[in-house]
Amino acid sequence: MEELTLTTPALLFSAISLIMLAYTNRFLAYAAIIRNLSDKYLKDQDASVLRQIKNLKLRIQLTRYMQIAGITSLLFCVLTMFLIYIHYPIVAVWAFGLGLVLLILSLLFLIWEIQISAKSLQHHLGDIENHVKK
């Protein structure tokens, strides 16, 4: 194995930062949607709105897990750089590996959340198609 240098974990900074920005935007969009649906539910007491809110609750939870795993991954990249700087290369390799595993976990949560999101949109399209057929 080649020696781990400061530039290797530094390369992930921009990628993780962009991912975290995307996660934050998702979270903010969900929060706005939930606020609107909450107001709508308080007015209409519609069961479909309640199902949408429950779906969004799961999606927000997954987004939170994505963010935690991504931030922790970034933290381990910084720790890796520090360990390289103070000449602990073996520990640095393990810290970097753990950071990569956390990044993978974050992306797996993203895939799961996207699957839920796609199913939700398919249900909405089905509702529209049923309404048009009537």
Side-chain angles (χ1 to χ4, degrees):
M1 184 174 134
E2 291 184 28
E3 184 179 327
L4 187 63
T5 64
L6 284 173
T7 57
T8 305
L11 288 172
L12 288 180
F13 277 19
S14 60
I16 294 173
S17 297
L18 288 173
I19 287 172
M20 294 307 299
L21 181 62
Y23 292 171
T24 301
N25 287 339
R26 289 178 94 80
F27 186 85
L28 293 174
Y30 294 152
I33 292 168
I34 287 173
R35 285 186 191 97
N36 290 335
L37 287 175
S38 177
D39 291 342
K40 186 176 179 181
Y41 179 75
L42 291 175
K43 289 178 187 172
D44 300 335
Q45 302 289 318
D46 186 7
S48 69
V49 172
L50 192 58
R51 283 192 308 272
Q52 291 175 29
I53 290 172
K54 287 180 183 178
N55 177 285
L56 285 166
K57 185 178 176 182
L58 174 61
R59 290 165 63 187
I60 284 209
Q61 188 175 25
L62 288 173
T63 302
R64 187 175 76 220
Y65 294 153
M66 289 186 284
Q67 289 175 320
I68 289 169
I71 290 167
T72 309
S73 174
L74 183 60
L75 179 65
F76 273 97
C77 284
V78 173
L79 178 62
T80 300
M81 293 175 71
F82 178 71
L83 290 169
I84 291 168
Y85 179 74
I86 62 171
H87 305 290
Y88 284 97
I90 306 256
V91 181
V93 168
W94 283 100
F96 186 65
L98 186 55
L100 290 177
V101 168
L102 288 165
L103 184 57
I104 290 168
L105 183 63
S106 177
L107 295 172
L108 289 172
F109 281 128
L110 177 62
I111 291 170
W112 185 7
E113 192 278 329
I114 288 171
Q115 294 298 325
I116 293 170
S117 180
K119 274 186 187 174
S120 177
L121 291 174
Q122 287 173 350
H123 288 299
H124 283 295
L125 290 173
D127 290 344
I128 292 170
E129 288 173 349
N130 290 337
H131 184 72
V132 169
K133 288 178 183 177
K134 292 179 183 179

